[in-house]
Amino acid sequence: MSDDFHKIRRLPPYVFAHIDPLKAKARADGVDVIDLGMGNPDMPTPQHIVEKLQETVKDPRTHRYSTSRGIPGLRKAQASYYGRRFGVKLNPDTQIVATLGSKEGFANMASAITAPGDVVLVPNPTYPIHSFGFIMSGGVVRSMPADPNEDFMRSLDRAVRHSIPKPIALVLNYPANPTAYTADLDFYTEVVKYCKANDIFILSDLAYSEIYFDEDAPPPSVLQVPGAIDITVEFTSMSKTYSMPGWRVGFAVGNERLIAALARVKSYLDYGAFTPIQVAATAALNGSDDVIDEVRKIYKYRRDVLVESFGRSGWDIPVPKATMFAWAPIPAQFAHMGSLEFAKLLIKETGVGVAPGVGFGEYGDQYIRLAFVENEQRIRQAARNIKKLLGSKPGTSNVVPLAG
């Protein structure tokens, strides 16, 4: 018998499996590891959401199986969110499914729509499930540029014309993980027009819709484009917006045919999140946006601290417009190492954990992803540790002045 199962053979070694043991060993050796690697929010879930969970869990009727589509109140709350945030009207009964985080929803959507050999267009670099959800489902991934610039549409047209069979779907992710790229409605309009003309579904990951730093330019939804709902499903998550990563609540919204396919697959696999969690998530969506504003301010301040302090340590970090990440080119003197070996070096020599860019696709290998998941003091300490490794004069070309 083969040592590996078919689907397992299709998956490459998990890059972070090389990093996590090094962090664990460093901690065991007494090193105070400053972990900027995993996008795991460190802020507590707002108290009113926790209290709603506590209140609901006392009712034994909520201890029974829930529903895989999500309780009606939660789906209605998500429809209300899309209405007030994006001006998009959704039917909570046919156009919304609650998921166990956006990651689960994306993977099960891939399973629902992919036949062996189907071609899917996916950004590179990108969040791993965007590719591997389809790979595990027997699909074939063709890489697309991650940056929504003038080359994107040319690359899209070239990929469609030269792919056999023709692609069934295009993945979009803006604001993007890991690159923090953002897209505007003009870009979405052009993409929707092209995909409708070529019978290509759009799967949009909008998990970072509320983590943006230009108050005058909140990230749009592709569903704001007239007619986009004919071919599009969009995925969102409460993990970052409400500091609820461990709660595992997300959504898929959009085209009824695609939502029905996802709902059918999920009906065989799960009974949805624990009902008290869904009730608490409903309270979050129906509550004040003040908690979202506060989370956004904290990430923005941490972004500015990281860019400023790392810049003074000799590592210039491009300033992200959104997400909880910075996508940083490896310093020139270490670029030859590639992202995995440089990440290992950082843990060994500085006690700073980062995410190697190659973990998000081969085109990310000259980058490191830095997450804003430590407080100001810890970020500044990481910068001081790294300065010793870089051994260069303080850089000031990318210093961001801190507010207040």
Side-chain angles (χ1 to χ4, degrees):
M1 296 180 67
S2 172
D3 290 338
D4 288 323
F5 298 105
H6 170 68
K7 286 190 177 181
I8 302 303
R9 286 200 304 270
R10 298 199 76 194
L11 298 175
Y14 193 53
V15 168
F16 302 104
H18 295 278
I19 301 297
D20 292 342
L22 293 178
K23 290 190 289 190
K25 183 180 184 304
R27 290 189 178 104
D29 292 340
V31 176
D32 178 20
V33 175
I34 303 172
D35 195 352
L36 305 177
M38 187 175 181
N40 191 2
D42 63 315
M43 290 173 272
T45 303
Q47 187 60 31
H48 73 281
I49 302 173
V50 176
E51 289 174 356
K52 177 57 72 171
L53 172 70
Q54 292 171 329
E55 172 192 327
T56 309
V57 79
K58 294 177 182 178
D59 183 350
R61 292 174 298 178
T62 67
H63 300 175
R64 306 181 73 181
Y65 289 127
S66 190
T67 170
S68 64
R69 292 185 67 100
I71 61 174
L74 180 59
R75 287 183 277 115
K76 289 177 181 178
Q78 177 69 351
S80 294
Y81 164 74
Y82 258 79
R84 65 178 182 268
R85 172 68 167 81
F86 302 112
V88 172
K89 185 176 180 180
L90 295 169
N91 184 331
D93 295 324
T94 61
Q95 295 177 320
I96 299 177
V97 168
T99 63
L100 304 177
S102 59
K103 186 175 184 179
E104 174 270 321
F106 206 97
N108 280 326
M109 178 62 79
S111 174
I113 69 174
T114 308
D118 278 348
V119 176
V120 180
L121 306 177
V122 180
N124 188 339
T126 195
Y127 189 55
I129 198 63
H130 297 156
S131 296
F132 295 114
F134 290 102
I135 290 173
M136 286 188 285
S137 301
V140 177
V141 169
R142 178 162 182 158
S143 293
M144 288 285 296
D147 194 344
N149 58 23
E150 61 276 5
D151 293 330
F152 185 95
M153 293 306 301
R154 288 192 291 270
S155 298
L156 174 59
D157 183 59
R158 186 165 57 249
V160 171
R161 287 189 290 106
H162 294 288
S163 293
I164 301 176
K166 187 184 73 174
I168 64 164
L170 167 68
V171 175
L172 299 177
N173 174 214
Y174 304 107
N177 179 8
T179 62
Y181 295 147
T182 58
D184 58 24
L185 268 180
D186 289 341
F187 170 79
Y188 282 144
T189 299
E190 197 170 359
V191 171
V192 168
K193 180 180 178 181
Y194 184 90
C195 288
K196 291 190 77 169
N198 288 276
D199 296 319
I200 297 171
F201 292 125
I202 295 173
L203 304 179
S204 169
D205 184 346
L206 193 62
Y208 294 90
S209 60
E210 301 306 331
I211 311 300
Y212 60 91
F213 308 125
D214 182 352
E215 295 182 4
D216 296 327
S221 162
V222 66
L223 291 173
Q224 291 176 245
V225 177
I229 203 165
D230 298 337
I231 58 169
T232 301
V233 163
E234 193 157 67
F235 299 85
T236 57
S237 169
M238 301 189 73
S239 295
K240 279 72 178 181
T241 304
Y242 294 95
S243 297
M244 296 172 64
W247 299 58
R248 308 313 303 134
V249 182
F251 301 92
V253 310
N255 178 262
E256 291 186 2
R257 179 186 172 202
L258 292 173
I259 291 296
L262 173 59
R264 185 168 182 181
V265 167
K266 281 178 61 63
S267 71
Y268 284 92
L269 298 177
D270 69 72
Y271 286 107
F274 187 35
T275 297
I277 289 178
Q278 296 194 50
V279 172
T282 303
L285 286 168
N286 289 335
S288 170
D289 287 343
D290 289 349
V291 295
I292 302 176
D293 296 338
E294 183 61 27
V295 166
R296 187 184 302 127
K297 289 176 183 176
I298 291 172
Y299 282 130
K300 184 176 188 294
Y301 183 70
R302 291 179 177 182
R303 177 203 69 168
D304 292 349
V305 168
L306 187 144
V307 171
E308 181 263 341
S309 60
F310 276 53
R312 293 188 185 282
S313 295
W315 190 357
D316 285 343
I317 308 294
V319 183
K321 296 180 180 179
T323 78
M324 55 187 291
F325 307 113
W327 186 237
I330 299 173
Q333 62 268 46
F334 299 100
H336 66 280
M337 300 179 67
S339 60
L340 180 57
E341 292 305 314
F342 182 62
K344 292 179 181 179
L345 180 69
L346 283 176
I347 295 172
K348 180 180 177 181
E349 299 295 333
T350 72
V352 177
V354 300
V358 71
F360 304 96
E362 63 269 32
Y363 295 115
D365 197 27
Q366 288 300 304
Y367 293 82
I368 294 294
R369 193 192 72 178
L370 303 163
F372 312 143
V373 293
E374 296 274 12
N375 62 36
E376 174 189 354
Q377 291 74 26
R378 303 273 290 167
I379 292 172
R380 291 192 185 280
Q381 184 60 56
R384 288 192 291 269
N385 293 357
I386 288 172
K387 181 178 181 179
K388 298 174 185 176
L389 174 66
L390 296 182
S392 59
K393 296 181 181 179
T396 58
S397 61
N398 204 29
V399 172
V400 173
L402 300 184

